[in-house]
Amino acid sequence: MNQTASVGHNSRSPKPVDREELRVGGAAADRLRSIVDRIERLEGEKADIATDIKEVYQEAKSSGFDNKVLRELIKIRKREAAEQEEFETILDVYRNALGM
Amino acid sequence: MNQTASVGHNSRSPKPVDREELRVGGAAADRLRSIVDRIERLEGEKADIATDIKEVYQEAKSSGFDNKVLRELIKIRKREAAEQEEFETILDVYRNALGM
Amino acid sequence: MNQTASVGHNSRSPKPVDREELRVGGAAADRLRSIVDRIERLEGEKADIATDIKEVYQEAKSSGFDNKVLRELIKIRKREAAEQEEFETILDVYRNALGM
Amino acid sequence: MNQTASVGHNSRSPKPVDREELRVGGAAADRLRSIVDRIERLEGEKADIATDIKEVYQEAKSSGFDNKVLRELIKIRKREAAEQEEFETILDVYRNALGM
DNA sequence: TAAGCATTGTCACCCC
DNA sequence: GGGGTGACAATGCTTA
């Protein structure tokens, strides 16, 4: 029962923000606003790019390409690129495990 | 049964690309390359932005914010923005219907 | 506005279960109980196996193996097995796209 | 800098496996094979069960149930079961503390 | 105990 | 419109 109140604190953060500073105009409020703004801006850009990608696929289809095959092709190219990178990672892991 | 020959053709595309033109140096091959390039480029940019977003969340955590709450907040703002937009759209429809 | 009530019906299911039959003892209630039981049983078995896997990793560590490397090894084996399978899939896709 | 030699050794394991014994036919090689086999077997079974679970959900949908609700229901039951168990554990602790 | 990672669940998109 | 598939988010485990 007596599990010490631990006021306004959870395990997710090193030093939870002070509630007072979160009031309008407080320092924490300013930082929060900045963070939200940046995230929303970045998500906007990300969505725009997603739209662009869709449009390219659209164009591909109009040009007579089979998008299913096209997606498969791009996926394979992506994986092959990733595999080289992963190979290096594995090498590192092995080196580490062998104490090199 | 009678699945009419329609060789080299499926229903996904208006005019399937000519296989001859897909040979190296053909016109279709060039267009394909262009399409693949653009998609891969866009996906690269998209991944970069995703990384940026993660970094901002990282920073938020270091500043003492609870990212779970933060994500929820951003989700709510997004939905409310969408609703506002939809409301204005409907307004326009009504205005139009009334000849305004 | 007048978007026809469409009583007790949503788009998620072909023929949504009758509310009356869901009352205790109803036919639908019996089926629901059966479904929940089976899922819970299967999830229990799944959790047990997950525990077994952890124990084997535990044993491996006690035997002096590096689990990080071990996991990497198993991942690679899995991927290589999957790749052959995927190759067949791709072949099918291509065949389909070419109308074969 | 002074990262004490400790060649072929890292802190992850009590007694790192002898590299000689890892050669084909060595004792460690046999144990490694056994470990990999068991893990792969268990993971196979786990995947099979996951497939079974999906099939039950599939069947549920065909029977007119809303899988989103169904998943939520099962999640709640699981949590409540865990809470009950925890409660009994605490009870035991208290009993023990009182010498019962 | 925190950080990275792997798995699992959810959601949206695409095709049929 | 419904089902299947792929991306994204969230949670839990593993290690440093």
Side-chain angles (χ1 to χ4, degrees):
Chain A
M1 261 132 203
N2 186 351
Q3 37 178 238
T4 57
S6 77
V7 181
H9 166 237
N10 63 41
S11 65
R12 285 177 210 106
S13 149
K15 44 178 174 62
V17 83
D18 189 298
R19 293 253 181 115
E20 278 311 309
E21 294 193 346
L22 262 177
R23 297 185 180 283
V24 179
D30 286 347
R31 234 169 333 170
L32 178 59
R33 172 167 303 277
S34 159
I35 286 168
V36 170
D37 282 352
R38 277 183 285 162
I39 290 175
E40 287 180 345
R41 181 164 209 283
L42 288 168
E43 290 200 335
E45 294 177 13
K46 189 153 150 272
D48 288 346
I49 292 179
T51 302
D52 291 346
I53 292 175
K54 270 183 217 155
E55 285 171 0
V56 179
Y57 274 112
Q58 208 52 20
E59 177 194 329
K61 190 193 277 187
S62 306
S63 297
F65 293 106
D66 181 325
N67 275 354
K68 197 170 177 183
V69 174
L70 189 53
R71 283 174 196 277
E72 196 69 37
L73 174 66
I74 286 174
K75 196 198 295 178
I76 290 172
R77 283 169 59 93
K78 186 177 181 181
R79 198 189 51 209
E80 283 176 353
E83 257 162 31
Q84 176 59 24
E85 207 170 320
E86 188 186 14
F87 179 69
E88 311 276 349
T89 304
I90 294 172
L91 263 189
D92 279 354
V93 171
Y94 284 6
R95 277 203 202 91
N96 217 304
L98 295 177
M100 300 169 70
Chain B
M1 262 110 225
N2 183 353
Q3 38 179 227
T4 54
S6 77
V7 179
H9 165 235
N10 63 42
S11 64
R12 284 180 210 106
S13 150
K15 48 177 172 63
V17 81
D18 188 298
R19 262 187 257 175
E20 278 310 311
E21 293 192 348
L22 262 177
R23 296 184 182 281
V24 179
D30 286 348
R31 232 170 332 170
L32 178 58
R33 172 167 303 275
S34 159
I35 286 168
V36 170
D37 282 350
R38 276 184 285 162
I39 290 174
E40 286 181 345
R41 182 163 208 285
L42 289 168
E43 291 200 334
E45 295 176 12
K46 189 153 151 272
D48 288 345
I49 293 180
T51 302
D52 290 347
I53 292 175
K54 269 184 204 153
E55 285 171 358
V56 178
Y57 275 112
Q58 204 59 5
E59 178 193 328
K61 188 196 278 185
S62 305
S63 297
F65 293 106
D66 182 326
N67 275 352
K68 193 172 178 182
V69 174
L70 189 52
R71 283 177 195 276
E72 189 62 26
L73 174 67
I74 287 174
K75 201 186 294 179
I76 290 172
R77 282 170 58 94
K78 187 177 180 182
R79 196 179 48 220
E80 284 177 351
E83 273 162 11
Q84 178 62 21
E85 203 171 325
E86 187 190 16
F87 177 70
E88 310 223 340
T89 304
I90 293 177
L91 258 190
D92 279 355
V93 171
Y94 283 12
R95 279 206 199 89
N96 260 318
L98 297 179
M100 298 170 68
Chain C
M1 259 130 205
N2 185 351
Q3 38 177 242
T4 58
S6 77
V7 180
H9 168 235
N10 64 41
S11 65
R12 285 180 209 106
S13 151
K15 47 179 171 61
V17 81
D18 189 298
R19 292 257 180 116
E20 279 310 312
E21 294 193 347
L22 262 178
R23 297 183 180 283
V24 179
D30 287 348
R31 234 171 331 171
L32 178 59
R33 173 167 302 275
S34 159
I35 285 168
V36 170
D37 282 352
R38 276 183 286 162
I39 290 175
E40 287 181 345
R41 182 164 207 284
L42 288 168
E43 291 200 332
E45 294 177 12
K46 187 151 153 272
D48 287 347
I49 292 179
T51 302
D52 290 347
I53 292 175
K54 270 182 217 154
E55 284 171 358
V56 178
Y57 274 111
Q58 206 54 18
E59 176 194 328
K61 189 193 277 186
S62 306
S63 297
F65 293 105
D66 182 325
N67 274 354
K68 199 169 177 185
V69 174
L70 189 52
R71 283 175 196 277
E72 197 68 37
L73 174 65
I74 286 174
K75 196 199 295 179
I76 291 172
R77 283 169 59 93
K78 186 177 180 182
R79 198 189 52 209
E80 284 177 352
E83 257 163 29
Q84 177 59 24
E85 210 170 318
E86 188 186 13
F87 178 68
E88 310 276 349
T89 304
I90 295 172
L91 262 190
D92 279 355
V93 171
Y94 283 6
R95 279 203 201 92
N96 217 304
L98 295 177
M100 301 170 68
Chain D
M1 260 110 220
N2 183 351
Q3 37 178 227
T4 53
S6 77
V7 179
H9 166 235
N10 64 40
S11 64
R12 284 180 209 107
S13 149
K15 47 178 172 62
V17 82
D18 188 299
R19 261 187 258 174
E20 279 310 310
E21 292 193 349
L22 262 178
R23 296 184 180 282
V24 179
D30 286 348
R31 232 169 334 170
L32 178 58
R33 174 168 301 276
S34 159
I35 286 168
V36 170
D37 281 351
R38 275 184 285 162
I39 290 175
E40 287 181 345
R41 181 164 208 284
L42 288 168
E43 290 200 334
E45 294 177 13
K46 189 152 150 271
D48 287 347
I49 292 179
T51 303
D52 290 348
I53 292 175
K54 270 184 203 155
E55 285 172 357
V56 178
Y57 276 111
Q58 210 48 11
E59 178 193 328
K61 189 195 278 184
S62 306
S63 297
F65 293 106
D66 182 325
N67 275 353
K68 194 172 178 181
V69 174
L70 189 52
R71 284 176 197 276
E72 189 61 27
L73 173 66
I74 286 174
K75 202 187 291 180
I76 291 172
R77 282 171 59 93
K78 186 177 180 181
R79 195 179 50 219
E80 285 177 351
E83 274 162 10
Q84 178 62 21
E85 202 171 326
E86 188 189 17
F87 177 70
E88 311 222 340
T89 301
I90 294 178
L91 258 191
D92 279 354
V93 171
Y94 282 15
R95 279 205 200 91
N96 260 317
L98 297 179
M100 300 170 67

